[in-house]
Amino acid sequence: RTNLELELVHRGGNLCSGGSSAAAKRSCLNQLFHVLAMHMRLYSIDLAYNPWTKLTQVTQSREAHSFEEERPEVPMLFRDAPSLLIIFVLTMPQPLRKEHFTCVVKMLYNLQFIQALAALSSKLSPDERQAWSTAGALKKNSSHAENSFEVLLSHVIAELSKDKSVYQVDPKESSMLISSVWSPQSIEFSLQQFCLPFLRLSCLLQHHLYGDNLTGCQEEDEFSALAVCLGLHSSVPQPSSVVTSASCLQWPVDASDLVTQWCAEVTTLSQIQAEQSLTLLVQDPQWAPPRLLQLPDNYNVIFQYYHRKACTACRKVPKDPALCLVCGAFVCLKGACCKQQGTCECVLHSQHCGAATGIFLLINASVIIIIRGHRFCLWGSVYLDAHGEEDRDLRRGKPLFLCEERYRVLEQQWVSHTFDHINKRWGPHYNGL
């Protein structure tokens, strides 16, 4: 899971660029899956708690007293779909055929979609929940009702409302959850955004297991492209047609019965732990990638603010001030005043902040230095003048402006840990920075 998430970060957080993996030749995911699959054979899955059974079948509900005697299982609506996908792939016979992988993805997408509806329903106001519940109930007997988000949203609201504590919101938090009026278009956009992280990881896993190339697309068409790539949608969408999130659903049994079962697990748990139910229901699968500080466009803003600023450690104005671009700490460069056991402040900060990797902007020079362990190098400047040239040490006094392209390159090198491979002019700092 970590390798897949990391590759997604390296790709910019989405799969719009397409193509094969940048590290495909040295990827060990196939070998890793083979080893993990062999270890998974040592574990037996209790049939009573088999997630595949709960995902695809309507099981008989256990007696109420069993919940008191035993610790209840995690409801399916609280499960992480990508983690379940990896577990299923590892526990199934190897090598896994692609049609079996596609089947697993389809079943997990159903779960992910209902999770999106449940999370969305908790963000609606009581009046909106009532309105959407009524609107969906009117379409319940229509054709393709199982592939209508209105019908499924209405059913989710009705089932979760059986326990009042599920939608019971603290007045202080209600303003945060209920922040906008929901239209069909905004709901569809929200559902797609909720399901996209699962589709991305599934596509990456399919790419590594079966060697399928990822097709590039525009950012607004990413959901449609990934749905077709995973077999959730039958054909490539035409420009006139629109792939909706609900059109990708393929239910193995009656959708209402399966959704009722999943919602019943939540309401049963809420009777035991009411406070945690809404917190777990309002989940956000979007993870922000690591970012460097957001710098102002004009370098003069930075210079005027930090030029005469006192160091937080020694309370003196440093001769060579520096700014950590990872956390924003203001430190002394080569300052003897902040030395600890013979090590200057920038080196110490790089050890504490970035595990011996530090990125510092030198305020009086407009250049960036990189510290890696016992070495350092001058990276250059992300602030250029009107002609696209650097002004190191601010000797020419020209107005400098942020070059976003250079800053993105710096950020990408930091995220992908490629400073050692790209920058060649390294030298020892002898703990003197």
Side-chain angles (χ1 to χ4, degrees):
R1 174 70 181 274
T2 303
N3 283 277
L4 294 174
E5 294 281 4
L6 183 59
E7 182 177 346
L8 193 58
V9 170
H10 289 174
R11 288 174 172 268
N14 57 48
L15 299 181
C16 296
S17 58
S20 59
S21 172
K25 293 184 179 179
R26 53 189 177 89
S27 174
C28 61
L29 273 179
N30 281 333
Q31 292 81 354
L32 179 62
F33 262 90
H34 178 71
V35 173
L36 292 177
M38 294 181 64
H39 282 277
M40 288 295 288
R41 295 175 186 174
L42 302 176
Y43 298 93
S44 60
I45 299 178
D46 188 354
L47 294 179
Y49 297 104
N50 189 349
W52 180 256
T53 303
K54 292 187 175 183
L55 188 67
T56 58
Q57 300 178 22
V58 179
T59 59
Q60 294 181 354
S61 59
R62 296 188 295 168
E63 298 296 332
H65 64 81
S66 63
F67 285 97
E68 300 176 359
E69 298 174 357
E70 303 177 13
R71 188 174 182 178
E73 186 72 359
V74 177
M76 292 299 293
L77 293 184
F78 294 163
R79 295 289 192 97
D80 181 55
S83 297
L84 286 176
L85 174 62
I86 295 175
I87 292 174
F88 288 146
V89 170
L90 292 177
T91 53
M92 295 179 73
Q94 301 294 326
L96 183 64
R97 297 174 63 178
K98 187 176 179 180
E99 52 265 32
H100 295 161
F101 177 84
T102 302
C103 176
V104 173
V105 171
K106 289 178 179 179
M107 297 303 102
L108 285 173
Y109 178 79
N110 297 338
L111 174 65
Q112 186 76 23
F113 183 82
I114 299 301
Q115 287 178 347
L117 289 180
L120 174 67
S121 68
S122 62
K123 299 177 183 179
L124 300 175
S125 65
D127 293 338
E128 284 181 318
R129 273 197 293 269
Q130 181 62 39
W132 282 106
S133 179
T134 304
L138 296 176
K139 300 181 180 180
K140 187 175 182 180
N141 296 325
S142 62
S143 59
H144 306 292
E146 293 185 342
N147 292 79
S148 168
F149 85 81
E150 293 97 336
V151 175
L152 294 173
L153 177 60
S154 172
H155 190 63
V156 168
I157 293 174
E159 292 298 323
L160 292 180
S161 298
K162 291 181 179 179
D163 185 66
K164 296 181 180 180
S165 61
V166 174
Y167 289 131
Q168 190 173 3
V169 185
D170 188 357
K172 296 180 180 179
E173 300 178 358
S174 61
S175 59
M176 298 175 60
L177 295 176
I178 306 168
S179 58
S180 60
V181 178
W182 294 89
S183 64
Q185 292 76 19
S186 62
I187 287 181
E188 175 61 29
F189 177 79
S190 176
L191 295 177
Q192 291 191 13
Q193 292 301 309
F194 194 100
C195 297
L196 266 176
F198 169 70
L199 298 185
R200 289 167 182 155
L201 291 180
S202 300
C203 270
L204 277 181
L205 186 56
Q206 178 178 273
H207 164 67
H208 284 287
L209 291 178
Y210 306 104
D212 297 350
N213 284 336
L214 303 172
T215 56
C217 62
Q218 298 294 326
E219 190 170 348
E220 58 270 15
D221 299 327
E222 185 184 10
F223 182 89
S224 304
L226 296 183
V228 172
C229 180
L230 290 169
L232 298 176
H233 204 268
S234 56
S235 60
V236 179
Q238 301 298 324
S240 58
S241 62
V242 178
V243 177
T244 62
S245 55
S247 65
C248 300
L249 296 171
Q250 300 182 37
W251 298 98
V253 294
D254 185 72
S256 60
D257 294 339
L258 205 54
V259 173
T260 299
Q261 175 177 280
W262 294 343
C263 293
E265 296 174 352
V266 176
T267 55
T268 302
L269 181 65
S270 65
Q271 296 172 5
I272 305 173
Q273 298 175 334
E275 297 180 358
Q276 287 81 7
S277 295
L278 182 62
T279 304
L280 294 173
L281 204 60
V282 185
Q283 53 178 310
D284 186 3
Q286 300 286 346
W287 293 84
R291 300 290 301 272
L292 295 177
L293 288 184
Q294 186 175 356
L295 298 178
D297 292 333
N298 196 324
Y299 187 74
N300 189 53
V301 176
I302 294 180
F303 184 80
Q304 293 296 335
Y305 183 81
Y306 288 106
H307 181 55
R308 304 301 299 173
K309 183 179 176 65
C311 174
T312 55
C314 62
R315 305 298 179 183
K316 299 178 182 178
V317 177
K319 181 180 178 181
D320 294 309
L323 177 68
C324 175
L325 295 182
V326 177
C327 68
F330 185 68
V331 294
C332 296
L333 178 71
K334 299 184 291 187
C337 53
C338 297
K339 269 190 176 182
Q340 294 183 19
Q341 298 179 351
T343 304
C344 288
E345 189 176 11
C346 276
V347 177
L348 283 173
H349 183 78
S350 68
Q351 295 171 356
H352 298 154
C353 177
T357 298
I359 307 174
F360 298 94
L361 172 64
L362 307 187
I363 303 300
N364 293 339
S366 77
V367 297
I368 291 172
I369 64 168
I370 309 295
I371 295 179
R372 286 278 292 162
H374 297 288
R375 303 173 302 155
F376 84 102
C377 76
L378 286 175
W379 190 88
S381 179
V382 294
Y383 281 94
L384 308 177
D385 62 15
H387 301 285
E389 297 178 351
E390 298 181 3
D391 186 11
R392 296 194 178 187
D393 299 325
L394 307 179
R395 293 176 180 176
R396 294 186 288 117
K398 298 289 185 179
L400 301 178
F401 303 96
L402 179 65
C403 177
E404 295 184 359
E405 183 179 356
R406 282 198 177 194
Y407 201 48
R408 281 196 300 268
V409 170
L410 174 66
E411 189 175 69
Q412 182 62 24
Q413 292 179 9
W414 170 63
V415 169
S416 57
H417 304 280
T418 54
F419 284 133
D420 292 337
H421 307 289
I422 296 177
N423 304 299
K424 303 300 181 183
R425 298 181 180 179
W426 293 91
H429 55 66
Y430 302 111
N431 296 329
L433 294 179

